[in-house]
Amino acid sequence: MNDRITIEDIKQIAPFSQGSTEIFLTGLWSSRKPVHIDKTSPCRHACPIGNDIARAFYEASMGHYDEALRIFRQDNPLPGVCGRVCYHPCEVLCNRKEYDEAVNIRGFERFLADNGKVDIGREKPAHLRKERVAIIGSGPAGLSASYHLTRLGFSVTIFEALPEPGGMLRYGIPEYRLPKDILDREIGYIRDLGVEIRTGARVGKDLPLTDMRNDYQALFLALGAHGGTELGIKGEHLPGIMDGVTYLRTINLGKKVRLGKKVAVIGGGNTAIDCARTARRSGAKDITIIYRRSRTEMPALAEDVEGTEKEGIKIELLAAPRRLISENGKLSGIECVRMRLGEPDASGRPRPIPVEGSEFLVSVDSVISATGQAPQTEFLKELGLLVDKNSVIEISCETAATNIEGIFAGGDSAGTRAFVADAIASGKQGALAISCYLDGIDIKKAFKNHQIGDQPSFSFQHLLDPEHYPADLKKVVPYNKINTLCFPHGARHDNPDNLTPKEAVKNFKEVAGGIDPSQMPFEIYRCFKCGTCTHCDLCFLLCPDISIMKGKDGYSVRTDFCKGCSQCATTCPRNVIEMGEGSGGRK
Ligand code: FAD
């Protein structure tokens, strides 16, 4: 299956003359000539990492799966992780969504990561640099910074407090959503590239930060947010209550946590959902999630919330805990109050307001509080590094720089949106900032040259290989510029579940499966590949003046014969051709 168009297809798409223009006394004339210019797809524009998704789909449409994976890896060293747990903003803005259903981009990324071959030799830098950079923390932000800095030629060491690298990807997100062998494989490639990872090394305790400043030319802090936050209600310190990140970390370290039969989880984010599903798999029978807003405002992914309910976990919406109740010194219940939604608060979501007199009791043996996490940044104060009242490291959002020269920060500990893709993006930004700092280049200018649209994301692909990937990153293709006549309607191929909910709760095996390889070509075909020339030949075949020429490097325009009728531009399926003043051709 490929995107090549036949004469028969064309007859269906557009009025197509096969005669000669010699019968006309005058033809159409215009000084505007077609220019082939690759642009930016809306999915790429929406992706915090800036993955060149349309080009990867194009390569895959020709069966080049390894090349498609390489395109993802030019900006993202963790496609197998993102292909499983990313919140896929790319799909929300997919042009195909306007036509029938969004393309399963996350499923495609996972498919490539699981089936494509990585050639680390091609990712290695051409020149090595003498400067050494230390990264503290091996979560997605630290891993991403290490990968991109190494590709830029720097020598990088990661220091990690926990026994294994990965941060929340290993010690937060459970195995049933992100199997550890997938994470190990992708961290393995980062090591193969040359990054040194020292685990069991807590900076500030095992290693003084001041020593590191002397040994390395730049530091990137990617500490995450591993401290639980308090509920701030009476009874909070009773036995039987623990915070969500500690609970998940303990389980992911392979230790046991004794929970009662009746468990309440407070919160509506990923941590709350994962705590509830982990408790279910660990033997708790009666689990209730208590969330103070409605389902629409739950920060967890909709599909994960759905999965939770299928596994028999109750969700008590518009309710908040008021106090924890004990009997004989043992936790026995939570008094909750009903909430209603008011005007939006600082987060933009409707403010939950208690409905007085609506108190009710939930009987419990254990409570897991998952209402937020805080960075553990106390030790940074020894250097005079500024952190805010929530312990978040203060950085300039344009340069990722802290108040101390040569120290940069990113990810959850620096207040980035608490998602994997955003952490990876902030690691990329940190890498660019550090390389500009060490080279004495203005980062704002460097960023602008490779910025994607008007987003805070930029392209390493474009930075490292501009000749190979000359797309105009500022021009984003809207839906109304897609020639939908070229695309048959077709249903989306979703990832199937590997297990029924009944089977799933008995173990920690991965629940979501990959798209079947026999189905993948159909999903690849569904992608419009907005803004990417797929050499479909429509311009070549439809030109009434036979002015579009086909060569081994793509198309060129014979401007002596082109009358500027713009047939090619209007019919181009992917909005790759523009009519411009000048000599035409390819940009
Ligand atoms: P982390 O991943 O937290 O990594 C920080 C690392 O720094 C840790 O390994 C820590 O041990 C180390 N460290 C800290 N201090 C020191 C020190 N002093 N010395 C050495 N090392 C140190 N996001 C999604 O997009 N999708 C999801 O489905 C999703 N699910 C989640 C589920 C859970 C349960 C949790 C907790 C989070 C989830 N997230 C999800 C959010 C996502 O995991 C985080 O936003 C992301 O991991 C943050 O990356 P990071 O690199 O900033 O920090």
Side-chain angles (χ1 to χ4, degrees):
M1 184 164 300
N2 64 37
D3 294 315
R4 204 161 289 277
I5 287 166
T6 64
I7 293 281
E8 286 315 307
D9 292 332
I10 293 167
K11 288 183 188 161
Q12 314 255 335
I13 294 164
F16 177 50
S17 161
Q18 292 178 47
S20 155
T21 54
E22 281 168 12
I23 56 162
F24 301 116
L25 292 182
T26 59
L28 284 169
W29 294 89
S30 161
S31 60
R32 295 168 75 221
K33 305 292 173 204
V35 182
H36 287 76
I37 171 165
D38 281 0
K39 303 198 185 82
T40 298
S41 56
C43 51
R44 182 181 201 180
H45 194 231
C47 171
I49 306 173
N51 285 322
D52 192 354
I53 298 163
R55 181 156 297 277
F57 267 106
Y58 167 49
E59 289 294 344
S61 73
M62 295 186 297
H64 305 159
Y65 290 155
D66 298 346
E67 186 57 24
L69 175 59
R70 195 176 86 83
I71 287 171
F72 270 103
R73 287 183 56 84
Q74 281 173 324
D75 279 284
N76 178 12
L78 303 171
V81 169
C82 289
R84 288 173 164 80
V85 301
C86 184
Y87 62 107
H88 49 77
C90 51
E91 292 179 24
V92 176
L93 291 186
C94 172
N95 273 338
R96 180 96 200 194
K97 198 173 168 191
E98 306 286 319
Y99 189 54
D100 40 33
E101 290 172 279
V103 175
N104 186 353
I105 300 170
R106 186 174 74 172
F108 172 62
E109 190 174 5
R110 168 179 170 157
F111 176 85
L112 292 179
D114 291 356
N115 296 285
K117 220 169 95 221
V118 172
D119 182 352
I120 283 295
R122 276 183 85 184
E123 297 184 5
K124 287 201 166 158
H127 305 288
L128 292 179
R129 312 265 312 233
K130 59 182 185 329
E131 297 94 334
R132 301 169 71 215
V133 180
I135 293 175
I136 307 173
S138 67
L143 290 171
S144 158
S146 77
Y147 173 78
H148 290 294
L149 281 163
T150 307
R151 293 194 69 206
L152 291 169
F154 297 100
S155 155
V156 180
T157 308
I158 299 183
F159 295 88
E160 168 55 55
L162 289 165
E164 300 275 346
M168 284 303 186
L169 305 180
R170 188 181 298 279
Y171 294 106
I173 303 179
E175 179 87 18
Y176 60 81
R177 286 207 294 129
L178 177 57
K180 301 303 169 258
D181 58 337
I182 303 297
L183 179 61
D184 288 340
R185 182 181 68 199
E186 299 201 322
I187 294 177
Y189 294 140
I190 293 175
R191 283 188 153 126
D192 292 347
L193 195 67
V195 175
E196 186 193 355
I197 307 181
R198 292 194 206 160
T199 54
R202 183 169 289 279
V203 175
K205 186 167 165 248
D206 308 320
L207 296 156
L209 194 59
T210 35
D211 288 1
M212 298 186 80
R213 281 213 77 200
N214 300 331
D215 295 345
Y216 295 89
Q217 280 70 56
L219 258 56
F220 184 67
L221 307 172
L223 311 173
H226 288 236
T229 51
E230 300 217 320
L231 290 168
I233 57 174
K234 210 171 144 207
E236 172 132 44
H237 301 291
L238 283 167
I241 298 160
M242 73 189 303
D243 75 79
V245 272
T246 306
Y247 171 63
L248 292 172
R249 185 168 55 245
T250 313
I251 298 275
N252 282 315
L253 277 163
K255 297 182 190 161
K256 286 236 169 323
V257 178
R258 217 180 254 277
L259 290 179
K261 286 215 162 38
K262 290 188 235 163
V263 179
V265 180
I266 320 288
N270 282 317
T271 308
I273 296 291
D274 282 337
C275 286
R277 295 177 84 181
T278 299
R280 184 87 172 91
R281 283 162 176 74
S282 307
K285 293 273 179 282
D286 182 351
I287 306 166
T288 309
I289 293 175
I290 298 171
Y291 179 57
R292 59 192 182 145
R293 292 188 172 92
S294 76
R295 183 179 291 261
T296 326
E297 288 83 32
M298 283 182 96
L301 288 180
E303 58 256 38
D304 290 330
V305 178
E306 224 173 85
T308 307
E309 285 181 314
K310 282 189 198 154
E311 290 173 8
I313 294 161
K314 284 170 275 175
I315 305 182
E316 191 74 69
L317 295 166
L318 289 165
R322 271 254 159 115
R323 67 187 173 106
L324 295 155
I325 301 163
S326 64
E327 261 172 37
N328 306 322
K330 265 180 72 185
L331 179 70
S332 62
I334 315 179
E335 184 187 294
C336 294
V337 63
R338 291 266 165 234
M339 309 297 269
R340 65 179 175 83
L341 296 180
E343 292 300 305
D345 61 14
S347 72
R349 293 172 300 170
R351 182 188 302 281
I353 303 166
V355 179
E356 290 313 324
S358 66
E359 288 77 4
F360 63 100
L361 202 71
V362 181
S363 151
V364 291
D365 314 307
S366 309
V367 169
I368 301 173
S369 127
T371 51
Q373 288 119 240
Q376 294 166 319
T377 49
E378 199 52 34
F379 73 100
L380 297 175
K381 292 184 186 157
E382 74 177 81
L383 273 186
L385 205 120
L386 288 179
V387 299
D388 72 10
K389 63 177 178 6
N390 297 317
S391 309
V392 173
I393 303 168
E394 292 192 6
I395 57 167
S396 140
C397 37
E398 281 173 316
T399 64
T402 66
N403 63 311
I404 297 186
E405 202 195 317
I407 305 188
F408 300 79
D412 283 3
S413 61
T416 302
R417 263 162 61 91
F419 290 107
V420 174
D422 297 84
I424 293 171
S426 84
K428 271 179 69 178
Q429 193 204 14
L432 179 66
I434 289 173
S435 96
C436 289
Y437 164 72
L438 293 173
D439 285 335
I441 294 173
D442 178 0
I443 188 205
K444 290 182 199 161
K445 261 197 206 150
F447 173 78
K448 269 233 139 51
N449 288 339
H450 310 290
Q451 184 181 11
I452 296 172
D454 53 4
Q455 294 293 84
S457 60
F458 71 99
S459 166
F460 253 112
Q461 174 200 62
H462 192 261
L463 184 148
L464 291 174
D465 201 358
E467 282 177 16
H468 213 117
Y469 301 102
D472 187 331
L473 296 175
K474 304 288 182 285
K475 285 196 177 135
V476 183
V477 178
Y479 175 64
N480 63 10
K481 293 280 183 186
I482 296 292
N483 183 359
T484 49
L485 289 168
C486 296
F487 301 98
H489 282 280
R492 169 185 161 108
H493 299 82
D494 273 314
N495 288 60
D497 278 347
N498 283 328
L499 305 164
T500 63
K502 232 178 174 177
E503 292 161 345
V505 296
K506 292 185 192 144
N507 54 60
F508 279 81
K509 284 189 196 152
E510 187 173 25
V511 177
I515 300 181
D516 190 287
S518 67
Q519 295 299 305
M520 200 64 236
F522 295 99
E523 198 59 15
I524 291 168
Y525 187 60
R526 287 185 71 242
C527 172
F528 291 155
K529 304 164 189 82
C530 309
T532 294
C533 177
T534 65
H535 306 101
C536 71
D537 284 353
L538 197 61
C539 54
F540 170 71
L541 293 166
L542 281 185
C543 175
D545 297 314
I546 318 177
S547 306
I548 305 241
M549 306 309 291
K550 233 169 101 165
K552 68 176 174 21
D553 293 329
Y555 304 102
S556 57
V557 180
R558 293 199 297 180
T559 43
D560 285 350
F561 301 99
C562 170
K563 299 204 199 87
C565 71
S566 79
Q567 171 97 319
C568 53
T570 28
T571 49
C572 174
R574 312 179 164 81
N575 188 224
V576 174
I577 304 177
E578 297 235 317
M579 299 304 291
E581 297 294 332
S583 58
R586 181 164 186 95
K587 267 202 180 163

